[in-house]
Amino acid sequence: MTELSVIGSGYVGTTIAACFADLGHEVVNVDVDQAIVDAINDGTAPIHEDGLAELVTDHAGANGTGRLEATTDYAAVLDTDVTFLCLPTPQNDDGSIDLSIIETAADQLGTTLAAKDAWHTVVVKSTVVPGSTEDAITPILEAASNKTAGEELGVGMNPEFLREGTAVHDFLDPDKVVLGADDERALADMHEVFDPLVERSDAPVVETDTRTAEMIKYANNGFLAAKISLINDIGNICKEFGIDAYEVADAIALDDRIGEQFLRSGVGWGGSCFPKDTAAIRAAARQQDYEPAMLDAATRVNDRQPDRLLSLMDDHVDVAGKQVAVLGLAFKPGTDDIRNSRAIPVIEGLQARGAEIVAYDPVAVENMHERFPGIEYVHTPTEALSKAAVALVVTDWEEIAALDNEFDLMSTPIVVDGRRAIDRRDGIVYEGLTW
Ligand code: UGA
């Protein structure tokens, strides 16, 4: 058992704090937001992640094991051995990441650690471009704590591979654990923290330095984003030839070197990670005077998919003055997150065509309403379809995939599917984006 502190209570911070408590560690989660801190201390999860509510109830609050606590006070880190930094790294206008939030936290953490005599290890969990830990975060920690990294202070980097919606599962059953450290003692501390997880999950452990650990995260997300863009590119070619890209994908997936995951072609990738991380590593590469041709192309293909969806619609109908149902607003099923959702360019394209939009999503309406307050939102897909001449499928929620007779309510049943959610059948004009 190790005493841990986790700075930041976003979806990564809260998830890892609760999971580490479940693995037997004593964990304190530090966040500036009093409401989040109060929620955790009441035994309530401040965000929705499958399985998180149960873990927070099990380990925090009056009936918990007491292994999980939250506070706004950085001094709590002094009673711990290892601190994880889980802070956001937002995107600048040029695509590069903004380190200011994590730098401020490092400064505050370092200032707090100045009062500690014993060794302490700080682990960067946030996604940061190669060199950020070594060149930016470590010097701030050293200056603020008046300690030298490798002598009185350990610094490590441990990238996360958690998907939104399955973060608890992804943490507790990882494909790999990457431990990046520039000194042996920090590495040993990280091993101690992860040993219970590694024993339980049998996950392979990759030991490396902090720069390589940082790069592994970008390589992982860049590869997956590019894999989807490649199947989208191939899918677009299939569509031109009247071939079903999903039949092609099923066949190539049988090649072990390709594998079956992330081969669902369609309207493309969104969310807070793939778009931001591909932009950040491309910007970082350019700063090194390297042109990241493949990752540039992956982004270009992704940017084009919503236009292809709209142009398939244009082939059937001029939507000016007509009502168009947009089915699904979240960037993927299982979340209310609309960041970089493909629904955004789809709605913009419909607006540019003078269409009247009727939008539906089981959970993301409130968020999309903030982004597009002027469009109509309805409570059921049936309501959207009964008003519409065309339906565009943007997110493959099960509820949307289950629609069938409801399409008969449309004035002209034209369905353009960006996610292969709907079954082609007689009585509707059906266009699949890549099939
Ligand atoms: C992604 C990675 O999968 C995680 O490993 C990583 O930790 C996370 O980013 C992060 O960096 O924090 P996430 O953004 O939650 O996770 O979502 P994914 O499930 O990977 O989906 C991303 C997008 O790709 C979604 O818009 C999804 O619809 C799309 N997608 C996914 C496809 O279009 N086709 C596919 O075959 C798979």
Side-chain angles (χ1 to χ4, degrees):
M1 189 260 287
T2 312
E3 313 242 329
L4 299 180
S5 37
V6 176
I7 314 266
S9 295
Y11 99 96
V12 173
T14 312
T15 302
I16 74 160
C19 289
F20 277 136
D22 202 49
L23 290 168
H25 298 305
E26 300 270 345
V27 187
V28 59
N29 197 180
V30 184
D31 198 274
V32 288
D33 189 327
Q34 187 68 49
I36 290 178
V37 165
D38 291 345
I40 295 172
N41 288 334
D42 280 346
T44 314
I47 49 156
H48 178 75
E49 268 300 329
D50 223 21
L52 185 64
E54 292 82 349
L55 289 185
V56 175
T57 310
D58 284 352
H59 300 295
N63 301 317
T65 58
R67 294 209 293 268
L68 177 62
E69 277 179 30
T71 178
T72 54
D73 187 0
Y74 266 73
V77 305
L78 293 171
D79 298 324
T80 68
D81 311 308
V82 178
T83 303
F84 283 82
L85 287 172
C86 299
L87 295 132
T89 47
Q91 194 171 340
N92 291 316
D93 289 341
D94 65 353
S96 63
I97 54 166
D98 173 1
L99 284 176
S100 59
I101 299 174
I102 194 163
E103 285 176 346
T104 305
D107 187 52
Q108 209 166 339
L109 176 61
T111 307
T112 310
L113 289 175
K116 185 172 174 179
D117 289 331
W119 168 270
H120 194 95
T121 288
V122 179
V123 182
V124 176
K125 187 89 184 160
S126 308
T127 299
V128 290
V129 295
S132 303
T133 300
E134 199 178 343
D135 303 334
I137 299 165
T138 302
I140 292 172
L141 284 168
E142 286 182 309
S145 65
N146 208 16
K147 296 179 194 295
T148 306
E151 286 176 22
E152 302 127 304
L153 181 73
V155 183
M157 202 281 151
N158 164 236
E160 59 90 5
F161 305 101
L162 314 179
R163 285 165 298 177
E164 265 185 67
T166 54
V168 170
H169 168 270
D170 291 346
F171 184 89
L172 293 174
D173 189 16
D175 288 338
K176 58 184 174 290
V177 172
V178 177
L179 304 181
D182 296 329
D183 68 88
E184 288 299 319
R185 221 169 141 185
L187 182 65
D189 281 351
M190 290 165 83
H191 267 294
E192 209 174 309
V193 172
F194 280 97
D195 272 352
L197 175 64
V198 172
E199 271 165 34
R200 179 180 143 149
S201 64
D202 216 18
V205 178
V206 178
E207 282 181 20
T208 186
D209 55 86
T210 58
R211 296 167 86 87
T212 309
E214 289 163 337
M215 187 63 204
I216 289 169
K217 165 73 189 199
Y218 283 101
N220 218 91
N221 273 0
F223 206 96
L224 290 172
K227 188 176 184 188
I228 301 169
S229 282
L230 182 53
I231 198 64
N232 282 339
D233 207 24
I234 290 170
N236 295 339
I237 299 171
C238 288
K239 182 75 181 175
E240 296 296 331
F241 280 102
I243 294 166
D244 180 347
Y246 276 69
E247 210 182 316
V248 172
D250 283 349
I252 63 171
L254 297 173
D255 188 321
D256 283 347
R257 294 167 301 175
I258 295 175
E260 64 182 357
Q261 294 198 53
F262 277 62
L263 284 184
R264 293 185 57 78
S265 54
V267 71
W269 34 269
S272 63
C273 306
F274 288 170
K276 179 167 88 79
D277 293 352
T278 47
I281 198 65
R282 287 163 59 222
R286 287 211 154 74
Q287 269 172 13
Q288 306 294 321
D289 284 330
Y290 177 76
E291 189 203 326
M294 285 290 288
L295 291 174
D296 283 352
T299 306
R300 237 181 9 256
V301 170
N302 197 54
D303 289 345
R304 244 174 23 191
Q305 291 309 90
D307 292 336
R308 286 190 62 90
L309 185 84
L310 291 165
S311 79
L312 277 174
M313 175 192 74
D314 294 337
D315 290 345
H316 291 279
V317 59
D318 175 0
V319 293
K322 294 203 171 70
Q323 290 194 299
V324 179
V326 177
L327 301 178
L329 302 171
F331 86 93
K332 66 173 184 179
T335 176
D336 65 354
D337 195 341
I338 59 145
R339 282 175 290 176
N340 290 298
S341 167
R342 301 295 77 199
I344 294 170
V346 166
I347 290 171
E348 285 168 347
L350 289 171
Q351 286 179 324
R353 287 165 172 77
E356 288 172 29
I357 298 153
V358 191
Y360 171 74
D361 190 280
V363 295
V365 162
E366 207 177 306
N367 288 337
M368 199 55 97
H369 185 266
E370 275 177 34
R371 180 77 168 70
F372 294 106
I375 66 175
E376 184 181 355
Y377 296 91
V378 290
H379 297 292
T380 63
T382 310
E383 201 180 338
L385 293 174
S386 63
K387 294 179 177 219
V390 185
L392 303 181
V393 178
V394 183
T395 316
D396 43 349
W397 286 100
E398 272 177 32
E399 184 190 358
I400 291 173
L403 293 171
D404 188 3
N405 294 337
E406 293 83 349
F407 291 111
D408 298 330
L409 300 168
M410 299 170 70
S411 53
T412 52
I414 301 170
V415 181
V416 187
D417 189 350
R419 296 289 182 192
R420 203 187 181 81
I422 308 298
D423 289 332
R424 198 187 289 270
R425 69 152 163 91
D426 289 341
I428 57 176
V429 177
Y430 179 87
E431 281 287 359
L433 186 48
T434 57
W435 56 97

